[in-house]
Amino acid sequence: MSENNIKIEIKNFSFYYGQKQVIHDLNLKIHKNEIMSFFGPANGGVTTLLRSLNRLFELNHNTRSEGDILIDGESIFDPDASVTELRRKVGMVFEIPTPLPLSIFDNVAYGPRLNKKKSKDEINEVVEQAIKQAALWDDVSDRLRAPAMSLSGGQQQRLCIARVLALKPEVIILDRACSGLDPISTAKIEESLTKLKKQFTIVIAPHNVQQAMRISDRAAFMLMGYLVEAGADIFTHPQDQRTDDYITGRFG
């Protein structure tokens, strides 16, 4: 894989909550236009790592990191880097859907409207495209002015994905975004992610190993803050016995 195809490079990255180290000297490259899954048992460091990719951890005091994370070859920790621009570029969808107390349309339009240069027609176009990309258009096209809270849980989560897409990101992070959803909603989100990787790099903490197997181009197994192994064939030919034990349900 050429260096030109690297979207994110994590270099000697460690993370601490107070005195407790929760990620240990992690090194990994994430390719453009792939779905990269991070999985492992609770307290493995996956959520912390995902929130480090757009510096969300900085919202939590008494934390610090060592090492570096590069996006397109540039450090996200550069003193001149804009955190606001980083979080637009690296959008995040959380485990619990968090629609704003607005209409379906206004939820998706909220971010683009902050860009005062966009006309009403441009915003309408961005909203429609984002909702279609999130595989929600067929469900809501005739009721865009209805309250977002009137949607089902699965629809709300796809709305949150649309809200991220409306900001024109380059990377989409999903932290167990399907964990509370029914199988049909989960399947719709997985199908849309498979299509979206043609345009975006997707980093996901799947809600179980089976989901990681279904949608990942590559996957990484984390245990107690350590990266055990990563690769495209991690589920069929794991190199470490701990990975095999976890995948087959012998622990975790």
Side-chain angles (χ1 to χ4, degrees):
M1 186 65 67
S2 73
E3 290 298 312
N4 291 336
N5 202 46
I6 303 302
K7 185 66 179 178
I8 302 171
E9 184 174 3
I10 305 166
K11 300 174 71 173
N12 305 114
F13 187 73
S14 297
F15 192 89
Y16 301 80
Y17 287 107
Q19 297 300 310
K20 183 180 181 183
Q21 186 171 2
V22 293
I23 296 178
H24 300 264
D25 196 31
L26 193 150
N27 289 276
L28 189 68
K29 294 177 180 178
I30 299 173
H31 305 147
K32 295 175 183 176
N33 304 108
E34 75 170 346
I35 298 178
M36 181 77 195
S37 291
F38 288 88
F39 70 99
N43 301 314
V46 170
T47 290
T48 298
L49 178 62
L50 265 57
R51 292 184 180 219
S52 298
L53 296 179
N54 64 359
R55 291 173 58 175
L56 267 184
F57 67 78
E58 293 179 2
L59 301 177
N60 190 325
H61 298 299
N62 198 30
T63 62
R64 66 183 177 91
S65 65
E66 297 172 352
D68 206 356
I69 297 174
L70 309 178
I71 297 181
D72 294 327
E74 297 183 0
S75 172
I76 67 170
F77 301 113
D78 188 299
D80 295 328
S82 164
V83 177
T84 301
E85 175 60 17
L86 173 66
R87 291 176 186 161
R88 182 206 64 78
K89 192 175 184 178
V90 183
M92 191 156 192
V93 181
F94 299 95
E95 180 174 355
I96 306 298
T98 54
L100 300 169
L102 303 169
S103 71
I104 294 166
F105 182 93
D106 288 339
N107 261 267
V108 184
Y110 186 84
R113 279 181 178 147
L114 295 178
N115 179 355
K116 299 290 196 295
K117 296 176 183 176
K118 286 193 180 296
S119 68
K120 184 176 179 180
D121 287 344
E122 286 174 320
I123 288 175
N124 289 342
E125 185 178 331
V126 167
V127 169
E128 181 175 337
Q129 182 186 29
I131 294 175
K132 285 179 176 176
Q133 286 178 317
L136 186 60
W137 184 254
D138 290 347
D139 295 2
V140 304
S141 60
D142 58 348
R143 53 184 178 123
L144 293 175
R145 299 299 173 182
M149 301 307 291
S150 67
L151 298 174
S152 69
Q155 290 169 332
Q156 287 184 21
Q157 194 62 292
R158 280 181 279 152
L159 181 67
C160 291
I161 294 173
R163 203 166 65 202
V164 167
L165 293 172
L167 294 173
K168 305 294 185 184
E170 297 177 20
V171 178
I172 304 170
I173 302 173
L174 300 101
D175 188 6
R176 297 180 175 84
C178 298
S179 63
L181 305 184
D182 62 88
I184 293 174
S185 296
T186 297
K188 285 184 177 180
I189 289 177
E190 290 178 3
E191 183 180 355
S192 65
L193 292 178
T194 302
K195 294 177 181 175
L196 288 170
K197 75 175 182 179
K198 296 173 185 175
Q199 298 172 255
F200 309 96
T201 298
I202 297 172
V203 182
I204 182 170
H207 70 285
N208 56 34
V209 171
Q210 288 72 30
Q211 182 178 53
M213 290 179 176
R214 286 194 300 270
I215 66 171
S216 304
D217 295 299
R218 292 191 306 137
F221 176 55
M222 291 185 66
L223 184 65
M224 302 299 289
Y226 292 92
L227 176 63
V228 177
E229 64 175 301
D233 58 355
I234 190 172
F235 299 113
T236 52
H237 298 96
Q239 301 300 305
D240 190 291
Q241 187 61 46
R242 293 169 295 175
T243 310
D244 189 48
D245 288 345
Y246 186 77
I247 290 170
T248 54
R250 287 194 281 272
F251 86 94

